Amino acid sequence: MKRLALAALVGLSACRYPALTDADLAARTSPAPSRGACLETVTAFPATHASAVRRAPIVVTSPSLLAPRVLHRGREGGLVAYLNFQGHAVYVVGFDAPSCDEALASRAFANVVREVSQRTREPVVHVVGTSLGAPIAVRAVGLLADEGGSPVGRVALVGPGLDYAYPRSFLARERAHLGGPAGYLCATVESCRRLSHEPEVLRAHLAKLPPEAPSLFTPTAERYPGLSGRHEPVLFVVGKADGVAPSESSYPVFLAWGSATPGAARSQKRYFLAARENALGDDYDHAELFAGASSEDEIFAPVAEFVEGETD
């Protein structure tokens, strides 16, 4: 992938992002009970920098496993802050885990995507799925496609935990602790400990994820019907050292996405392993994808380039 030119921004990283207090976040956040039984909030982050090119809005799933604040850490940046600076308005959709399963959340997320398109009068809306919130994005994109007139342009999935039907998966290990003390959750994954929800909230999110499919050979097709017919360009960003959403949890979905779609549409998918062998500074773990020392240049920039259609 081409690297976004950031030379003009050298020295500005410490001051180009606005500080965000809890009051600021509260003012940007709206409860949305009418959109679905489980939808908790939509938080709007307007563009902070006027781009020379008009940028489409982006709807992002809350990461579920990690605390939502990881997406915008005020002056420290974050994926949402970076996309805002590139000229995108971003809408982060959060869910109330105790009252919400994946099917309801996907329906609600799809409704938000369509509503953002209608309210902003933008015919194209990009979708970004993050962490264990990525399955919601994938299923919502399918719902919108099945309904017709989908506004979805491009899809980026960062640290996506999509398919846990492999031996000793993260989800299987965590579920072994669900009946015990909450402090045991994420005990073996350092990045999970650092930036995850409080243990009881984390317990609720993990408990709502669907069980692993009984077959190791067909789980992707069972959980995400219609993947083979997808035509939306898609980017998968996976950390080589990610113990939460390793390549085993996303590569089957990557292979299935658009596999029955002919021609150019089938080729518009990318799998980006965040690792030293791809000229990055480190092998990324789950938390580093969102809050690493170099994630702005090495992770957020490729995501922005992809949704803006500036990749090779």
Side-chain angles (χ1 to χ4, degrees):
M1 290 186 179
K2 295 181 289 185
R3 284 287 179 267
L4 194 66
L6 295 175
L9 303 178
V10 172
L12 294 179
S13 61
C15 62
R16 60 175 164 168
Y17 301 130
L20 283 181
T21 65
D22 290 342
D24 293 329
L25 287 173
R28 297 175 182 215
T29 302
S30 302
S34 63
R35 295 192 185 98
C38 72
L39 186 57
E40 185 178 64
T41 56
V42 177
T43 305
F45 296 88
T48 55
H49 182 72
S51 171
V53 178
R54 187 171 183 174
R55 305 294 193 197
I58 299 175
V59 182
V60 180
T61 63
S62 182
S64 292
L65 178 72
L66 302 178
R69 192 65 182 260
V70 74
L71 296 177
H72 197 312
R73 307 188 313 281
R75 291 199 183 280
E76 295 180 10
L79 176 60
V80 168
Y82 185 88
L83 294 172
N84 287 158
F85 195 79
Q86 302 306 308
H88 297 276
V90 178
Y91 302 83
V92 178
V93 184
F95 299 94
D96 180 17
S99 64
C100 177
D101 64 21
E102 191 174 272
L104 286 172
S106 302
R107 176 70 271 167
F109 187 83
N111 291 347
V112 172
V113 171
R114 201 175 286 283
E115 186 170 340
V116 166
S117 175
Q118 293 169 351
R119 291 197 176 192
T120 62
R121 298 183 181 179
E122 292 284 355
V124 173
V125 176
H126 302 307
V127 167
V128 174
T130 62
S131 185
L132 298 192
I136 294 169
V138 172
R139 291 181 58 154
V141 169
L143 289 173
L144 290 165
D146 291 343
E147 293 166 358
S150 172
V152 174
R154 291 180 168 237
V155 180
L157 305 171
V158 183
L162 296 166
D163 187 340
Y164 283 95
Y166 61 90
R168 291 190 56 76
S169 73
F170 167 77
L171 187 54
R173 299 196 309 269
E174 293 306 295
R175 282 196 165 133
H177 296 306
L178 284 177
Y184 286 176
L185 297 175
C186 284
T188 61
V189 182
E190 191 273 338
S191 64
C192 186
R193 292 199 310 272
R194 277 195 289 140
L195 291 172
S196 68
H197 285 285
E198 292 299 315
E200 289 299 337
V201 178
L202 176 61
R203 182 195 298 277
H205 278 286
L206 290 172
K208 286 295 182 180
L209 290 172
E212 294 91 340
S215 168
L216 291 177
F217 302 100
T218 59
T220 297
E222 292 173 1
R223 188 170 178 187
Y224 305 106
L227 266 183
S228 63
R230 295 275 70 80
H231 65 274
E232 301 84 2
V234 64
L235 168 69
F236 291 71
V237 180
V238 178
K240 183 178 181 180
D242 192 337
V244 173
S247 57
E248 292 92 334
S249 71
S250 59
Y251 197 65
V253 178
F254 171 78
L255 290 178
W257 189 291
S259 58
T261 305
R266 182 175 176 177
S267 69
Q268 291 187 64
K269 60 180 183 179
R270 304 286 185 270
Y271 198 88
F272 179 38
L273 187 67
R276 290 188 179 95
E277 58 256 45
N278 280 328
L280 304 191
D282 199 3
D283 293 337
Y284 277 72
D285 71 15
H286 196 68
E288 287 171 334
L289 290 172
F290 301 95
S294 301
S295 54
E296 181 168 300
D297 291 344
E298 296 185 336
I299 305 300
F300 306 161
V303 170
E305 290 169 357
F306 182 80
V307 298
E308 291 157 12
E310 296 177 6
T311 53
D312 292 332

